[in-house]
C-alpha cells in the first residue's frame, strides 16, 4: 500500500477531534479507533463492517479499561467518529443524521460503520496496525 495513504491516515488520526469535559480531553474516539484496530487484528471485523453490537461495545470497554479511561458510552464515538473523515455510517434509510444520537437511534437507523477502503486495506498489514496503534497511544492514551 502506498506511503501516501499511510501518511494521510496518520495525519487524519492525529487530528481526530476530541471534546473535553472539566478540562480533560475525552478519549472516546481514539479508544474506539484503537479497539477497531484490535478487532481487525483478532479477526473479529470482516469485510470492513463494524456493527453496533455487544461484541464491539465490549471490546471498546476493554480497551478503555486498559488505558484507565473514563468510559464514554459506546454509541457516542460510534456515531461522532463519522465527522473525522475516514469512518462512515451506512444508514438503513436515506436520512440518519441527528443532533442527539442514542443507542436506539443507531439500532434503528444505522446498518453498520466502515472505514475508508484505503485505510481498511492498510490495516490488513500487521506492521501498519502496530504503527497506527502506536500513533493513537502516543497522541491520546498516554
Amino acid at each position: 500500500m502506498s506511503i501516501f495513504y499511510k501518511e494521510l491516515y496518520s495525519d487524519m488520526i492525529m487530528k481526530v477531534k476530541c471534546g473535553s469535559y472539566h478540562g480533560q480531553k475525552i478519549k472516546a474516539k481514539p479508544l474506539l479507533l484503537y479497539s477497531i484496530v484490535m478487532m481487525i487484528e483478532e479477526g473479529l471485523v470482516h469485510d470492513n463492517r463494524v456493527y453496533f453490537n455487544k461484541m464491539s461495545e465490549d471490546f471498546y470497554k476493554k480497551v478503555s479499561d486498559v488505558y484507565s479511561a473514563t468510559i464514554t458510552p459506546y454509541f457516542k464515538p460510534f456515531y461522532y467518529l463519522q465527522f473525522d473523515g475516514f469512518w462512515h455510517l451506512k444508514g438503513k434509510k436515506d436520512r440518519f443524521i441527528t443532533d442527539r444520537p442514542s443507542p436506539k437511534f443507531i439500532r434503528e437507523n444505522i446498518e453498520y460503520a466502515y472505514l475508508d477502503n484505503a485505510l481498511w486495506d492498510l490495516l490488513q498489514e500487521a506492521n501498519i496496525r502496530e504503527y497506527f496503534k502506536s500513533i493513537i497511544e502516543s497522541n491520546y492514551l498516554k
Side-chain angles (χ1 to χ4, degrees), residues 13 16-21 23-35 60-61 63-74 76-78 80-81 84 136-142:
I13 288 168
V16 165
K17 297 175 211 95
C18 296
S20 64
Y21 182 73
Q24 295 285 338
K25 186 181 275 192
I26 298 171
K27 302 174 183 181
K29 291 193 292 186
L31 287 164
L32 173 60
L33 185 55
Y34 194 95
S35 68
Y60 166 75
K61 288 178 181 176
V63 170
S64 297
D65 287 345
V66 167
Y67 289 98
S68 302
T70 303
I71 297 179
T72 299
Y74 177 62
K76 289 183 177 185
F78 189 94
Y80 286 113
L81 191 59
D84 287 289
I136 297 166
E137 285 178 322
S138 62
N139 283 284
Y140 300 103
L141 305 180
K142 295 211 174 186

Side-chain angles (χ1 to χ4, degrees), residues 4 12 14 20 23 55 61 77 91 95-97 99 101 118 131-132 141:
F4 168 78
M12 291 177 86
M14 287 189 283
S20 64
M55 187 224 27
K61 288 178 181 176
R95 187 173 170 351
F96 61 88
I97 300 294
D99 291 337
Y131 173 74
F132 284 133
L141 305 180

Side-chain angles (χ1 to χ4, degrees), residues 104-117:
K104 181 180 185 226
F105 176 86
I106 292 173
R107 282 190 299 275
E108 291 176 356
N109 294 283
I110 307 300
E111 202 170 319
Y112 56 84
Y114 60 98
L115 299 165
D116 282 354
N117 288 331

